Every structure is written in structure tokens, then in C-alpha cells.
Amino acid sequence: MKISTKGRYGLTIMIELAKKHGEGPISLKAIAQANELSEHYLEQLIAPLRNAGLVKSIRGAYGGYILADLPSKITSGDVIRVLEGPISPVEGIEDEEPAKRELWIRIRDAIKDVLDNTTLEDLASHSDDGDSDAYMFYI
Amino acid sequence: MKISTKGRYGLTIMIELAKKHGEGPISLKAIAQANELSEHYLEQLIAPLRNAGLVKSIRGAYGGYILADLPSKITSGDVIRVLEGPISPVEGIEDEEPAKRELWIRIRDAIKDVLDNTTLEDLASHSDDGDSDAYMFYI
DNA sequence: TCTAAAGCCTATCAAATTACTAAGGATTTT
DNA sequence: AAAATCCTTAGTAATTTGATAGGCTTTAGA
């Protein structure tokens, strides 16, 4: 029941691009270094994001990537769907018996609600809060 | 971002036990046959449920399993936590940078809210609804 | 025009996880 | 004693994950 590094690193890329939106293309190398990630691996993640039309690429020296739209217009759900597939706690909800189907639908809709209502602008804005609150991490 | 067969089949077992609560022990064989699942595989799933104190076992002929508590007192969250681990969309939420940490916490809390407020009684009760509504299955 | 910086593409691979299967032992009831 | 059932350990094929390797193409700027 986890989001893999695909979705997590994909969001990392998109948040970096959102932070520097309007400043011209950002290279993957810069993003990889800033986040201590493998540039090659990020290349594999941004390919589907480009195919899905969420980012645009500029080739050649001083090239890189830019968001295809305003940070306020791209949601975390857009990114997660591209990299992790449809948002659903199980595959084939429709084939489940009614009891469990109902449960999966409730979970799916709850996740969907969060992901589709959180934009890159939201995420990029409070990227340097301190440790805001005493959260319980294991529940 | 999926709940595996562990959690799914585990819930299947628990819902069956909830449906027949008060009717004496139910054998895994009966549950396996009713749901067309491997009895051996279910044995591996019910072991942690027993260790966690969610079910009690009665050995020997005409033995089986019973819920350790009322169906209204056991939630889907109890079952999923035992079989899938802590409810969280990523591991190590605390190590994430604030932007993503906030997102994961929102998702986690949304899932937690559903799972902890859905009891086996809820699930067992509408196990034979028709196809109640026109749901959208891929979102 | 050359060169370095960058994107683009394909293949390969080790580790982990998932979803079982196999085999048999232990316990209790009829 | 026989049958039913729980209990435990081990193995394994398929899939996914998280990379690594290497080379090709495009472009800005010296």
C-alpha cells in the first residue's frame, strides 16, 4: 500500500520545476544533484511526464525542462496517475463483491480528493517550513 | 499504490467470520471453497490475525476460527494493519521534505479515517446489495 | 565549425516483493 | 483409530522496483 519512488521522485521533479517556474529550463542534472538522486533514473521518470504533456523539454546546451502549465493548474494527482497508474487501492474494483467494493471505493475517493486538490503551487510554496507540528508518524 | 492479496483475502476471511458470528467455529476450508481461494495461502494469512488477537482458533475436527470480538468492534483498519503493515502511502514520512510530508500525511489520514470507521459489521451487512450504483471505476 | 551541455532512447540487471505451492506435523473429536 | 482441522516451515516463479550502462541527437556559445 505504498507509492513507489517513481511517484515520489516524479513529484520531487515537478516541485522543483514549480519552484523555478518562469526562470527558463531546468536541467535534470541540477534536480538530481539538489536531491541526491540518480540522473539516469530521473530520465526514465520524466519521459512519461513529457508524453503526458505535463512538462516540455528544451534540447541542447542550456536546455532542460519546464512545466507545461502554471503550477496552480497541475495537481499531485496528475503526476501520480502518470507514474503509478490509476488511483485505486486494488485492481479491478468492479469485480469485487459489494462489501469490499464499497470499502475500496471509499478509500479511492478519499485519496483522490487529496491528490486532486493539492496543486504543485501548494506544494512548492511551503517547501521550507520548519518542522511545523508534532505529528504521529506511525498509526 | 495497491493493497495486496494479503489484505484483500484477509478481509475476505474476516467478513465471512463476521457473517457467521455466533454460529460456532468456521473452517478455513469452507471459507477457501466459498471464495475459490487456496486454503494453504489463507492459512498463512490467518496466522498473523490470530497472533494479533483478532481471531481465536479451535483445533481438531469440527474446529475452525471465530472472531475474538463483536463484528462491530473490529475495523477494516485492524485487519489491514496486521497484514499490510502501518497505514501510510510511503515509508519514512518523517524523512521527507515538508512539501511532500504534508501531502503524505493528508493521504494517510484520509485512508485512516475510512479504514478505522468501517467495521466488519458494516461490511458484512451489505454483502448482497445488487449493483447499487453507477460508479466510475477508473479515475 | 567545434565542443560541451543537455535531452533522448534502449537494453540489462540485482534485489525485493508477491502470490502462491508443497509437505508434513500437532491436536482434537467422533 | 481415523478424520478433520489447525499449525509451521520451506521453496519458487513471476513481477516490480530501482537502478546502471552506453550511445545518439540537438543546441548554445567560443
Side-chain angles (χ1 to χ4, degrees):
Chain A
M1 186 167 185
K2 300 278 179 276
I3 294 177
S4 72
T5 56
K6 282 190 220 167
R8 304 221 300 277
Y9 297 174
L11 265 181
T12 299
I13 295 171
M14 296 299 276
I15 290 171
E16 292 278 349
L17 295 182
K19 282 192 213 167
K20 313 219 170 156
H21 189 61
E23 301 177 22
I26 313 295
S27 72
L28 270 197
K29 189 177 187 178
I31 295 176
Q33 284 176 350
N35 293 275
E36 296 178 272
L37 299 173
S38 150
E39 188 186 345
H40 262 310
Y41 189 39
L42 295 190
E43 278 178 354
Q44 288 172 44
L45 305 184
I46 208 163
L49 294 173
R50 177 172 39 80
N51 292 334
L54 295 179
V55 301
K56 288 177 184 167
S57 63
I58 291 98
R59 299 180 68 157
Y62 297 85
Y65 295 89
I66 56 172
L67 294 184
D69 206 341
L70 295 173
S72 60
K73 295 290 188 182
I74 302 176
T75 70
S76 53
D78 296 331
V79 179
I80 295 294
R81 274 189 191 83
V82 166
L83 291 170
E84 304 270 352
I87 292 163
S88 178
V90 300
E91 256 161 56
I93 287 188
E94 62 268 41
D95 302 329
E96 285 275 27
E97 52 155 333
K100 275 168 283 162
R101 187 161 71 190
E102 179 69 22
L103 180 65
W104 307 143
I105 288 174
R106 283 191 213 167
I107 293 173
R108 183 198 63 182
D109 289 349
I111 298 173
K112 172 176 146 51
D113 187 56
V114 174
L115 288 176
D116 288 343
N117 288 297
T118 305
T119 68
L120 293 182
E121 186 179 45
D122 298 333
L123 293 172
S125 65
H126 60 65
S127 259
D128 23 48
D129 296 355
D131 38 7
S132 40
D133 259 307
Y135 287 114
M136 305 295 296
F137 285 116
Y138 275 86
I139 59 173
Chain B
M1 188 169 184
K2 299 277 178 275
I3 294 177
S4 71
T5 57
K6 283 190 220 166
R8 303 219 301 277
Y9 296 174
L11 265 182
T12 300
I13 294 171
M14 296 300 276
I15 291 170
E16 291 277 348
L17 295 182
K19 282 193 216 170
K20 311 219 171 154
H21 189 61
E23 302 178 21
I26 312 295
S27 73
L28 269 197
K29 190 176 187 178
I31 295 175
Q33 285 177 349
N35 293 274
E36 295 178 274
L37 299 172
S38 150
E39 186 185 346
H40 264 308
Y41 190 39
L42 295 189
E43 279 177 350
Q44 288 173 42
L45 304 185
I46 207 163
L49 294 173
R50 176 172 39 79
N51 292 333
L54 295 180
V55 301
K56 288 177 183 166
S57 63
I58 292 101
R59 298 178 69 152
Y62 296 85
Y65 294 89
I66 58 172
L67 294 183
D69 205 342
L70 296 174
S72 61
K73 296 290 189 183
I74 302 176
T75 70
S76 52
D78 296 331
V79 179
I80 296 294
R81 274 189 192 82
V82 166
L83 292 170
E84 303 270 353
I87 293 163
S88 177
V90 300
E91 255 160 59
I93 287 188
E94 63 268 41
D95 302 329
E96 285 274 29
E97 52 155 332
K100 275 168 282 160
R101 187 161 71 192
E102 178 70 23
L103 180 65
W104 307 143
I105 288 173
R106 283 191 214 166
I107 293 173
R108 183 197 63 183
D109 290 349
I111 299 173
K112 173 176 145 49
D113 187 57
V114 174
L115 287 177
D116 288 343
N117 288 296
T118 304
T119 68
L120 293 182
E121 185 180 45
D122 298 333
L123 293 172
S125 65
H126 60 64
S127 258
D128 23 51
D129 296 353
D131 38 7
S132 41
D133 259 308
Y135 287 114
M136 304 293 298
F137 286 115
Y138 276 87
I139 58 174

